[in-house]
Amino acid sequence: MNFLDTAAAPATAGGSGMLIMMVVLFVAMYFFMIRPQKKQEKQIADMRNSIMVGDEICTNGGIIGRVCQIKGDILTLEINKDRTHMKIYRWAVREIVNPMPRPEKEAPVQAEKKSKKADKKSDAE
């Protein structure tokens, strides 16, 4: 019986070490696998949400066309010079091949700052 008692003691001490190793393994998996995948999914979702009329896009099936209409999650593409139209879902877009020029978002902010400075100057006079 002494032999069985001494063999059981180290097994309980190893259980906490095993738990710590599993937690460390999960944290490592999160930082090396899950987190980068979520970051990539967010970038793809942002790209798909930024599609505008006039952008040239490529679908998951390899079809390249210019967006001529957007209604919710359905995009209408103009495929060729004969004005053939095709409707696809937004999630089927792989990439924006040739984007239209985007309006600058910083311009209104700068205009507001200038108007505030002008107001301060008029108040000082």
Side-chain angles (χ1 to χ4, degrees):
M1 290 222 168
N2 288 339
F3 176 72
L4 294 175
D5 291 338
T6 56
T12 58
S16 62
M18 181 68 108
L19 181 64
I20 291 171
M21 289 298 289
M22 296 217 15
V23 169
V24 169
L25 181 64
F26 179 74
V27 169
M29 280 181 41
Y30 175 77
F31 279 106
F32 289 113
M33 295 175 70
I34 299 170
R35 189 168 176 237
Q37 182 180 357
K38 286 188 178 189
K39 184 177 179 182
Q40 184 181 14
E41 287 174 2
K42 185 180 184 306
Q43 288 175 342
I44 291 171
D46 290 343
M47 178 268 302
R48 288 178 178 157
N49 289 332
S50 71
I51 295 174
M52 295 173 44
V53 173
D55 288 345
E56 189 172 337
I57 62 169
C58 179
T59 67
N60 288 332
I63 298 171
I64 297 174
R66 187 166 304 279
V67 178
C68 61
Q69 185 179 17
I70 300 174
K71 284 188 179 179
D73 281 343
I74 298 177
L75 309 174
T76 304
L77 301 180
E78 188 174 291
I79 304 301
N80 57 19
K81 294 177 184 175
D82 295 334
R83 295 189 169 250
T84 304
H85 290 93
M86 171 189 233
K87 290 185 179 183
I88 63 165
Y89 284 105
R90 190 181 295 265
W91 58 261
V93 175
R94 181 189 324 164
E95 65 178 324
I96 300 175
V97 178
N98 190 7
M100 291 293 294
R102 304 286 193 245
E104 293 188 24
K105 295 179 181 178
E106 296 181 38
V109 175
Q110 291 174 353
E112 289 177 17
K113 288 181 181 179
K114 289 180 182 177
S115 66
K116 288 181 182 178
K117 288 180 183 178
D119 290 341
K120 287 181 182 178
K121 286 181 182 179
S122 65
D123 289 340
E125 293 174 356

